[in-house]
Amino acid sequence: MDTTSDIRSVKLELLRSGPTHNQLLSPLTNYIALCGSDGPVTLNMPFEHRQLMMRLKRLKYPLDRDPATDEQRQAEIRDLGEAVGHIFGQVPALISELGNAGATNGTLVHLSLAMSAFELGLLPFEAAVAADGFPGAGSPMFLQMRTPISLTREIRRGRPLPINWARPPRILFIFAAPAGLYVPAQAHLQALREAIEPWVKLKKDPKERIEEVKKMLTIVPNASLEQIRALSASTEFTHIHILAHGAPFKKSGDKRYGLALCSEGGDQPDIVEGERLAIALTASDSVGNTRFRPTLVTLATCDSGNINSVLTPGGSIAHELNAAGIPWVIASQFPLWMKASAIAARVLYTGLLQGSDPRWVLYELRQRLRTDAPETHDWASIVAYSTIPADFDRQVHAFRDQQTQGKIDVMFDRMDELVCSITAKKHASGSCDVAEEVQRELTRLAAAIRAELRHWREEGRDKQSAREQSRHLGLSAASEKRIGIAHTLIGARSQANLAYRACHDFYKAAWRMDPCNHWLLTQYLSIVAILNRGDDGAGLQQLSDRYGSRWSAAFEMARWEAQNCSGREKVYALSTLAELCLLNVVYHPQSADGTALKQQISDFCRQMLNEPMADNFPILSTLRQFRRYLQDWDSPLWAGLAQTALGALEGDNLLISGPTSAQSWGDARQAVNT
């Protein structure tokens, strides 16, 4: 699945006069279709209401029949798909819009179907067979690979729903099996647990490991609606996954479908309709404001996308949740096979947490259900209600970057633990031996980090701006530096030198991509100095001749920013100036005055402390950088200057402590923020 390919949106609106409810399907009813810039087209549905309801009943899975041999059901899904495909075929603009949008290889077409009439919500649009003129004519429209198409439904609104896709993910898993019913809770829990694994910090103590899991995943077994309401009101969840049986109930004499949750204080089922569930998931405070709202809800529940009755207001569970302001709801419009529900949970959450666009994830999900559950028609059962704001692509991209950095952060945390344990043993026993299995794990972690970064750099490179590519290269350089420090601390000099060389190359490439970035240029000059810190005399003169003008350019750019910015930007510029003063002894040794440089460094560091900021992270990252100069990259050239910087930053009662090896994303975060 190419999650970085372009996604082209096509919108099809189906309208009719009158209220949303109390209208039966009939070939005599005229609907208006709007698509693209073409004028409206009049449509008629090829179904009588009673006829469609009877045909939809044939799509249930009889308990006494093997789905793989149920030829009547298989024929019905094909016939309905051809009829729905014919409806799409009546809109000429849709054919041309899909053709134009899919003209570029690797492009996903997102078809957004906007409609308000409840009776149209009964139609299984997701089962459509492509009519003549459409991509993949004669095959299921949303499975064919010639032009990948992902279909979502949309409730027509006066204004779009607010959405923040890039929030740090926290998942609530709810399941209920009242009155002795069975749900595949273990399979779904395993799918969710595997999906979050790359972001769970590695801990040796099982109890600590469980606590790390709980930071991302909360489980509510045998849930009641009151439990869900209380938890949703007290904790911010971004994703909610609900596993329960669908069950019919009567409302105003009409048959609808709800969730079979557990009753409060008992084991009997409480059939919860969409409206009640929506109120619980978007619990309000005492003045009526919604405190927390999930970004996405997945319903592993039979008929959770089934409207069934159109006589009275109110739609399916999925419809009601989306109408209540939940931006994304993924459900099933038919009965859902248990095996398929577990596949769906795994594909959805693995893809979403990796940072893939949900429209690509939906397309992959349909294909996976078709291949892994071939005896079912669950690929057509999946229905998604969505909200796509104008900046959705940017939000998805930001979330993917955030998740990539988080995944790498977990691996570095483990690397730091290993290095700290080794250095502690060396200090205690004086031995420099490193256990072979520890060395192997460090090597494996370094290889995994590099592979993750390589994939991040390369995906969608042709669509990235020079600044984006520079940012990716800068993060790769900072990571190589951190790997080099780890190998230095355990005495693996050859591997450390390889990492530092890679760091040098990445910083150089990043700076060339973004030559006006003073921080990148400074880090490039820093790694050059580190690699040559054993030189003196003629060697230093060569560095001065080759890089002296670059040092001067970096200093002037950083000084300009420090004079014309405020807050974090000013603090980072001052940090760069302090580091450049330290590097002055390398790139302008003939004019370096130790006393004057110490005074400059002290002044810049104290200005950093006096600048108002929301947090101390820029100070922390600067402290760690100077500690590296003093301990990890020790040299008599700059030892006194580094000590001056540390003394200035740790003064004024600023209590900052921690290991001297780089145990934060100081470099990486600054590369991202610059």
Side-chain angles (χ1 to χ4, degrees), residues 170-192:
R170 185 164 188 179
I171 302 169
L172 174 62
F173 174 36
I174 300 165
F175 68 88
L181 295 173
Y182 170 79
V183 292
Q186 188 59 42
H188 283 247
L189 178 58
Q190 183 66 25
L192 295 174

Side-chain angles (χ1 to χ4, degrees), residues 25 55 134 148 195 279 354 392 420 523 539:
L25 277 170
R55 296 182 69 173
F134 283 94
I279 293 172
Q354 290 285 354
F392 191 63
C420 287
Q523 296 312 302

Side-chain angles (χ1 to χ4, degrees), residues 20 161 267 331 633:
T20 58
L161 289 175
D267 189 41
W633 311 319

Side-chain angles (χ1 to χ4, degrees), residues 61 67-68 73 337 340 369-370 373-379:
Y61 299 111
R73 178 187 55 80
W337 203 250
L369 289 175
R370 185 67 186 95
E375 68 276 14
T376 75
H377 57 267
D378 289 326
W379 60 269

